[in-house]
Amino acid sequence: MSRIMNKLVFSIAAFCTLSFLTGFIHRINMRERSIKQSSQTATTIMTTWPKTTHEDEELHTLLKLTEWPLPMLNTSLEFSTHPRTSIYFLLHPRSTYIVGEKMEVLIIAKDHKGRTKSYGGDYFHAKLHSPSLKAGVSGSVSDNYNGTYTASFILQWPGETMVSIKLMHSSEAIAILHEKRSTRPDKVFFKGYFFKNGKEEVVECNFNLPGQDVCEYYDSRNEERWVCMRPKTLPCDAIRDHSSGGNRDILSTEEKTFFSM
């Protein structure tokens, strides 16, 4: 450019799906257009965190800020969010934008059959970037809890700019991860090393090993519990060290299909 521009202009090149980048381009002096958007009743399952004592109030607030709407478990893959059927478009497009202004994009989540979702919980990543300037910035995505999401960006440079929206995980996949986090703490496991009188045993350790005969250890300062499977020949106080053990595949064949898109 021969001079510094202080205005940004948009034209929409194509109506596209989540599998591709949009053709949003900044240009000069185009007429303002408006768009219509549909709304649906939100049906979500929210995680609840009971508030107990005054000392727990800060923790309760943090948990509320990070809670995630979850659909029912055992949802068929057909009804899960699909990146190729979901769509997004510019909200309230104008011909001219000013650097520093906010721009919004509406995302409409749809399932494998192209039906609009009626609940939220999907994990979308939104990005504003300029290939020519090699610049980029992430946007914030707000869940409207009705199958739609609003991605917001602050326009930070003049010239060409593209919008990229990527589905990281569907709400159904996140529900699976949430359930596994609660029921399968052994996904990541550790090894405990026991030594005494010239004998050595290596057993599995973790924060919890449900249904196993274990040795229990407590950190009185942090009030944390650590357990190891009880060695066959050595006492619990013979533990000397521990290390990373590995990761287990805890997803069923059907569950894996939700993460293969």
Side-chain angles (χ1 to χ4, degrees):
M1 293 185 183
S2 59
R3 59 189 177 84
I4 298 175
M5 295 177 61
N6 64 351
K7 292 187 177 182
L8 298 177
V9 184
F10 263 88
S11 66
I12 303 179
F15 188 81
C16 51
T17 69
L18 296 179
S19 304
F20 305 92
L21 299 180
T22 57
F24 294 153
I25 307 297
H26 294 298
R27 286 292 180 253
I28 300 178
N29 294 333
M30 295 179 63
R31 68 181 181 278
E32 181 176 345
R33 292 181 293 173
S34 62
I35 59 175
K36 297 181 180 180
Q37 65 180 83
S38 62
S39 61
Q40 291 181 309
T41 302
T43 55
T44 60
I45 298 175
M46 303 297 292
T47 304
T48 57
W49 302 96
K51 183 166 63 175
T52 54
T53 65
H54 176 72
E55 289 75 16
D56 295 329
E57 186 173 350
E58 182 176 357
L59 176 60
H60 170 74
T61 301
L62 291 174
L63 291 175
K64 288 291 291 181
L65 289 172
T66 58
E67 69 180 3
W68 198 274
L70 298 173
M72 298 295 293
L73 284 174
N74 303 319
T75 301
S76 171
L77 179 66
E78 175 185 334
F79 298 103
S80 65
T81 307
H82 198 286
R84 292 190 180 275
T85 58
S86 299
I87 59 176
Y88 63 106
F89 51 87
L90 192 64
L91 272 177
H92 314 299
R94 304 200 315 269
S95 60
T96 303
Y97 290 84
I98 307 298
V99 172
E101 280 188 324
K102 183 170 75 171
M103 183 194 73
E104 293 183 325
V105 171
L106 182 69
I107 305 167
I108 302 177
K110 300 190 176 187
D111 64 17
H112 285 59
K113 298 295 185 178
R115 296 165 296 208
T116 301
K117 301 285 290 293
S118 60
Y119 53 85
D122 296 303
Y123 175 23
F124 288 101
H125 180 262
K127 181 181 179 181
L128 195 68
H129 62 104
S130 169
S132 60
L133 296 177
K134 296 182 178 181
V137 62
S138 294
S140 62
V141 179
S142 300
D143 193 337
N144 299 322
Y145 304 112
N146 61 358
T148 70
Y149 304 79
T150 304
S152 301
F153 306 91
I154 300 300
L155 303 177
Q156 300 190 24
W157 56 80
E160 294 186 355
T161 297
M162 301 182 72
V163 173
S164 171
I165 305 292
K166 184 176 182 180
L167 176 65
M168 307 302 292
H169 286 307
S170 68
S171 56
E172 293 76 17
I174 292 173
I176 294 172
L177 295 176
H178 186 271
E179 188 268 338
K180 296 300 181 184
R181 184 187 66 180
S182 302
T183 61
R184 293 299 303 272
D186 59 333
K187 180 187 187 306
V188 178
F189 64 94
F190 304 85
K191 293 180 179 179
Y193 300 87
F194 291 74
F195 298 92
K196 192 169 187 179
N197 299 328
K199 294 182 179 180
E200 176 184 358
E201 286 191 54
V202 181
V203 300
E204 182 176 337
C205 299
N206 217 314
F207 295 100
N208 189 22
L209 293 171
Q212 302 293 331
D213 183 18
V214 298
C215 297
E216 299 185 15
Y217 306 96
Y218 292 91
D219 186 325
S220 58
R221 184 179 64 178
N222 296 323
E223 299 182 353
E224 292 180 347
R225 178 174 179 264
W226 183 256
V227 300
C228 294
M229 294 183 64
R230 190 179 300 275
K232 295 180 179 179
T233 62
L234 297 178
C236 290
D237 61 4
I239 189 169
R240 294 294 179 267
D241 199 3
H242 70 272
S243 68
S244 175
N247 296 277
R248 287 190 177 91
D249 184 1
I250 61 174
L251 296 176
S252 68
T253 301
E254 182 180 359
E255 290 170 338
K256 288 178 181 179
T257 61
F258 288 86
F259 300 91
S260 60
M261 294 181 291

